Amino acid sequence: MSERCLEIGLLLYPGAQLAAVHGLGDLFTVANRMAAGQGRKGLPRLRVSHWQADEAGCVRRVFDSLPQGDGAPQVVILPPCLDDDAEQPLADCYRDWLREQHRGGVLLASVCVGAFALAEAGLLDGRTVTTHWALAAQMAARFPLVQVLPERMVIDDGDLITAGGLMAWTDLGLALVTRLLGPTIAAETARFLVVDLNRESQRHFSSFAPSLDHGDAAVLAVQRWLQGEGGAEASLADMAARAGLGERTFLRRFRSATGMKPTEYCQQLRVTKARELLEFTRQSIEQVAWQVGYGDSGAFRKVFTRLVGLSPGDYRRRFGTAAR
């Protein structure tokens, strides 16, 4: 009886990160090895192929780990991209091919910028997705029918799976192994590759990048003042006075310009400063809380954990560089 295979296609669109392409191929090779070592009957062998548009604009298979095989992919992955123009629209042939694959029942998956291609093809409308945390705002603005959750590492929406930042290809690969070969093989694959299984959040990798190009000079002046103060001890009355506006008008214009309430904005600034102190100093968490404007360290811990996804202590243990 011939071996049952399940083909995973990797789309080599312009600028696709080859490290992720080849890394995913290696991950699926290891998964096949783990499955064979288990001696479990009925598991398919994962076959990896690469797909790329030719000069005529036809998307074709250009590599196959089992070249004697036939058929079509059951999964197609859009890898991340490192090019400066990574968010430029894909050629029509790629978008048309993705729509055709989806109509045919193929599971589509993306990492980082790859989600933009799925959105351009109209496949993410009404869906909840993730992408690199630094691109979330841009994606939400370009594709208002898509709900973007940048804090999530992987979102499995059945026929569509999206993964977060550049290295989230490992998370996507393991999620696919879990679905296709089962959680035991996925756990053994992760253990062999020495990578974490089931990472849920990318919030603790993100950084606060406020909008400064909104064109509201009064709000921008307050933002620059808050940046200098680290967001500490800034009351609504102080901010409105510095903007030369009434409090209600200031609230409306600040939220319109930044997409956030002033209190939320100040929390982000305080937590950003706290992250620096936790990474590069040996100050206690109570000292850090006080320095960024929190008299109650318990309140600081709650805000920090909510925004970062890790407690201050866990964050320091993971990212701290100060001498111990």
Side-chain angles (χ1 to χ4, degrees):
M1 182 180 294
S2 61
E3 183 179 38
R4 184 166 69 94
C5 292
L6 196 156
E7 183 177 346
I8 301 175
L10 291 146
L11 187 62
L12 274 60
Y13 62 91
Q17 186 190 22
L18 295 182
V21 171
H22 296 303
L24 281 163
D26 290 343
L27 187 151
F28 296 133
T29 296
V30 171
N32 282 332
R33 187 185 306 166
M34 297 298 109
Q38 284 276 326
R40 293 171 57 187
K41 297 181 180 180
L43 290 180
R45 181 176 179 182
L46 302 183
R47 169 187 176 190
V48 177
S49 58
H50 298 172
W51 296 75
Q52 194 169 31
D54 60 19
E55 294 182 357
C58 295
V59 179
R60 302 183 183 278
R61 185 188 283 111
V62 295
F63 167 80
D64 194 337
S65 63
L66 293 174
Q68 72 276 17
D70 54 14
Q74 287 79 50
V75 180
V76 168
I77 300 174
L78 288 95
C81 178
L82 288 176
D83 283 2
D84 291 339
D85 60 350
E87 296 115 46
Q88 293 300 313
L90 282 183
D92 289 341
C93 61
Y94 286 111
R95 293 199 297 272
D96 293 341
W97 187 77
L98 288 170
R99 295 188 192 103
E100 179 184 350
Q101 299 305 305
H102 191 249
R103 284 195 299 269
V106 174
L107 167 62
L108 300 182
S110 67
V111 184
C112 192
V113 169
F116 281 72
L118 294 178
E120 289 167 14
L123 299 174
L124 298 185
D125 290 355
R127 301 290 191 121
T128 300
V129 307
T130 190
T131 186
H132 194 294
W133 57 263
L135 301 173
Q138 180 178 348
M139 186 170 195
R142 280 184 59 184
F143 307 105
L145 297 180
V146 179
Q147 182 180 3
V148 186
L149 298 181
E151 67 273 15
R152 297 281 295 278
M153 190 70 75
V154 174
I155 294 180
D156 186 336
D157 201 26
D159 56 337
L160 292 164
I161 303 177
T162 53
L166 287 164
M167 293 302 295
W169 62 262
T170 61
D171 304 274
L172 173 64
L174 291 170
L176 287 171
V177 171
T178 299
R179 178 186 285 204
L180 304 174
L181 300 181
T184 300
I185 303 302
E188 292 198 359
T189 301
R191 189 178 302 114
F192 182 86
L193 295 173
V194 197
V195 296
D196 290 334
L197 182 64
N198 297 326
R199 294 191 302 172
E200 295 183 353
S201 176
Q202 59 176 346
R203 279 185 295 173
H204 42 277
F205 296 106
S206 66
S207 61
F208 180 47
S211 173
L212 300 173
D213 59 354
H214 44 70
D216 191 324
V219 171
L220 183 60
V222 173
Q223 287 179 273
R224 288 173 173 165
W225 173 64
L226 289 172
Q227 190 68 44
E229 297 294 319
E233 301 298 333
S235 68
L236 175 60
D238 290 338
M239 289 185 276
R242 188 162 289 269
L245 301 170
E247 291 186 13
R248 292 182 63 182
T249 300
F250 171 74
L251 277 171
R252 176 178 53 79
R253 286 176 54 174
F254 190 93
R255 188 163 190 174
S256 175
T258 67
M260 307 174 73
K261 298 177 182 177
T263 52
E264 296 169 337
Y265 191 94
C266 290
Q267 285 179 344
Q268 289 283 2
L269 288 177
R270 291 179 178 186
V271 166
T272 297
K273 179 62 176 177
R275 288 169 69 159
E276 294 177 2
L277 294 173
L278 290 168
E279 289 176 30
F280 301 115
T281 77
R282 300 182 66 183
Q283 295 181 23
S284 69
I285 292 174
E286 289 71 20
Q287 289 173 318
V288 170
W290 180 84
Q291 191 164 333
V292 300
Y294 286 91
D296 181 352
S297 63
F300 164 71
R301 292 172 194 268
K302 289 180 181 178
V303 171
F304 189 96
T305 302
R306 176 171 57 81
L307 294 181
V308 179
L310 293 172
S311 70
D314 288 341
Y315 185 87
R316 167 168 277 166
R317 281 187 286 274
R318 185 161 185 174
F319 297 104
T321 60
R324 291 178 172 86

